[in-house]
Amino acid sequence: IKGFDILLKTAVEVVRAAPNTRFVLVGAGPELETLKQMSSELGISENVLFTGFRDDILDIINAFDIFLMTSWHEGIPVALLEAMALSKPTVSTAVGGINEVIVNGSSGLTAPAGDVTAIAKHCQSLSASTELRAEIGKQARQRVEEEFSSQQQKHKLFDIYRELVQ
C-alpha cells in the first residue's frame, strides 16, 4: 500500500540523473529485507539508507530536502502533514486523502500512483531549484496551518456537531 517499490524505482531514475542523491526509508516493517534486496538488485543500495524504526521522526524529516510519498492508497497521512508543517516540499502520489491535503503545484507536487517517471521528474524539478523548494515548502506549511492544524480541526468538528444538533 505504501508503494515503497515505486519509491525505489523512482530512485533509480533520479540517481541516474543525479548520482549523489540519497533516499532515506524510515521504518522496520515486514517488507524491510525485501526492499533492501530490491535496492541492491536495482543498483542503488549506495544511494538508499534504511534507518529501521526511529522515534525521532520529526528530526529525520527535518533533515530532508524533499519528502516523498509513493503510496497506492492513503487516508490523510500524518507523516505528510508533519513534513508539510516542517515546510518540506513534498512529492506524492495523488491518491485518497492526499488530494485533500496537497494543492498540486502550490503546496506540493503530485503524480498518478505508480507513475515512476512523473514522480522522478517532480523530484528532479525540486532538486534543481532552491527557490521552488522554498516556495512549495512555505505553501505547504501555510496549507497545514490553515486547514489541518489542531485548532482548525477543533473548529471543523465543532461545526459538524452544531450542524447535527440543528
Side-chain angles (χ1 to χ4, degrees):
I1 290 175
K2 295 297 183 183
F4 292 126
D5 58 327
I6 299 302
L7 189 147
L8 292 176
K9 291 173 185 173
T10 298
V12 170
E13 289 197 29
V14 172
V15 167
R16 188 176 301 131
N20 292 328
T21 304
R22 299 292 181 257
F23 290 79
V24 178
L25 275 78
V26 180
E31 295 182 34
L32 181 60
E33 291 307 315
T34 302
L35 293 170
K36 285 181 178 179
Q37 181 177 344
M38 183 179 180
S39 73
S40 181
E41 291 168 359
L42 291 170
I44 56 168
S45 58
E46 295 296 317
N47 301 85
V48 181
L49 171 64
F50 293 91
T51 69
F53 173 79
R54 297 291 299 249
D55 60 6
D56 58 345
I57 192 62
L58 294 180
D59 292 333
I60 300 290
I61 292 172
N62 212 25
F64 295 165
D65 292 324
I66 300 167
F67 182 84
L68 177 58
M69 181 168 277
T70 54
S71 301
W72 289 100
H73 305 283
E74 281 289 349
I76 294 182
V78 173
L80 177 63
L81 293 173
E82 290 170 337
M84 291 172 70
L86 290 169
S87 302
K88 295 300 167 183
T90 61
V91 174
S92 181
T93 48
V95 298
I98 291 172
N99 292 313
E100 295 177 42
V101 176
I102 294 176
V103 176
N104 188 34
S106 173
S107 59
L109 300 175
T110 60
D115 190 339
V116 170
T117 301
I119 297 166
K121 284 181 181 177
H122 284 327
C123 290
Q124 291 163 340
S125 294
L126 286 171
S127 292
S129 175
T130 304
E131 294 82 15
L132 182 60
R133 285 195 311 275
E135 182 58 28
I136 288 183
K138 176 182 155 193
Q139 294 297 323
R141 181 178 178 95
Q142 183 177 346
R143 176 101 173 119
V144 169
E145 288 174 353
E146 291 175 357
E147 297 294 328
F148 298 96
S149 69
S150 59
Q151 195 68 11
Q152 287 299 323
Q153 296 306 307
K154 180 179 85 172
H155 290 303
K156 288 177 182 180
L157 185 59
F158 185 73
D159 290 344
I160 290 170
Y161 285 148
R162 186 177 321 137
E163 190 176 307
L164 289 172
V165 168
Q166 291 174 359

